[in-house]
Amino acid sequence: MSAQQSKHRKPSAAARAEAAAWVARLHGPNRTSDVEAGLRRWLADDPDHLAAFELLTETWERSTRLRRRPMEHVAQWELVGFRLSFSRAVLATLAVAVLAITGTVYWLHSDVTTTGIGELRTLALEDGTRVHMNADTRLIVRYGKALRQVQLVSGEALFEVTHNPERPFIVTVNGHRIRDIGTEFDVLSERNRLAVTLLQGKVTVSSVTGGAVSSPRPSLPVGTLSVRRQAIMLSPGERLTFTADQMPQIDRPSLDLVTAWERGQVVLDDTPLAEAVAEMNRYSSRRIVISSTMHSIRVSGVFEAGDSASFAAAVAREYDLNESTRSGGDIVLSSAEQSGR
């Protein structure tokens, strides 16, 4: 797309937010060659990005042309006897920064971010790496000069990593370390389960304590200590799953199903009802409640994330369950026996 064409393109709100973050970085004190390289990759990724970047650059340039005359202030606030004054230029700059914060989060060294129920978010990091966060997720990012680290405290995130062998990118989660080797991968951390799915590129998975992880590959002589303590390298399309009561397992799931959450879908394939309900509850404040006697029910289908009512109605019809609503709005699924029929 030419520069002239991009001016007539209306960029999306998400692209404008990311562009605002890039503009703020370029004009900030921490501009580096990594930031500039990340911007070039981001601009080449989508024509929408170029249009958004030109729009936000023009906004920035207009803000810098606003000159503050002596003793002139366009906004003042008084707080406990102190007066804070801002010029037009500062306000315009702050407006760009606000746009950046609402759409993406940018860390220089260390920070924490979370997503709430039903909230998805994309983080654009300083090196061009993007982190797509699923709902109900918590991350801690620590970017240093020699190492880029992200701790997935809980939830799920998809990482599109800008590879830099001189500055490794590592994700730590539940006692395991995932090291990028130029890649895109999804990490899901639940209470009793951890799954690492490689979409493209390569990653290695090892233990945080001593670099050990038991190998799930049947072709390896897992009885030897040296092999049992080696890091596992995944190939594209493979998923490595850890559970509390089983040896690690490697399989090849449908990648469309793994990343369905990015499209606003919850895809279930013979999933226990308790797990299916927990997944649906990640996307809606209107929670679904079931009893322990219903955990043997298994559910399959594609559902819209956040549409708890349709999900509950479909399950009730399929398994002849009663559906009721509590005063607070929660949906209760119960068997006929529990309802006294």
Side-chain angles (χ1 to χ4, degrees), residues 56-71:
L56 269 297
T57 297
E58 184 178 351
T59 301
W60 181 280
E61 290 175 348
R62 284 202 304 268
S63 74
T64 60
R65 289 195 296 267
L66 295 172
R67 293 291 182 248
R68 175 181 172 182
R69 296 195 300 271
M71 302 302 293

Side-chain angles (χ1 to χ4, degrees), residues 321-324 333-341:
L321 303 176
N322 288 334
E323 179 186 354
S324 59
L333 293 176
S334 58
S335 63
E337 292 78 8
Q338 290 175 312
S339 301
R341 288 199 314 184

Side-chain angles (χ1 to χ4, degrees), residues 214-224 227-228 230-233 250:
S214 298
S215 173
R217 299 184 187 275
S219 59
L220 295 177
V222 295
T224 63
V227 174
R228 291 180 66 86
Q230 72 176 8
I232 297 174
M233 180 176 289
I250 288 181

Side-chain angles (χ1 to χ4, degrees), residues 273 294 297 315-317 319-323 333-336:
L273 181 58
M294 302 166 61
I297 295 176
V315 172
R317 286 194 304 269
Y319 295 97
D320 193 24
L321 303 176
N322 288 334
E323 179 186 354
L333 293 176
S334 58
S335 63

Side-chain angles (χ1 to χ4, degrees), residues 114-121 133-138 277-288 305-308 330:
T114 60
T115 53
I117 300 298
E119 179 187 6
L120 305 182
R121 183 179 299 178
M133 297 177 64
N134 201 347
D136 196 19
T137 294
R138 180 179 177 86
V277 166
E279 184 66 13
M280 291 299 299
N281 284 345
R282 294 180 65 180
Y283 301 99
S284 176
S285 57
R286 189 181 185 192
R287 302 183 66 79
I288 302 170
D307 192 354
S308 299
D330 290 347

Side-chain angles (χ1 to χ4, degrees), residues 242-260:
F242 299 88
T243 58
D245 56 353
Q246 291 182 338
M247 285 283 291
Q249 301 290 324
I250 288 181
D251 65 346
R252 285 186 167 272
S254 166
L255 297 184
D256 281 342
L257 299 188
V258 172
T259 60

Side-chain angles (χ1 to χ4, degrees), residues 135-154:
D136 196 19
T137 294
R138 180 179 177 86
L139 286 176
I140 301 174
V141 176
R142 298 183 179 92
Y143 262 37
K145 292 182 178 180
L147 190 65
R148 299 169 293 166
Q149 289 184 294
V150 176
Q151 180 185 357
L152 178 61
V153 180
S154 61

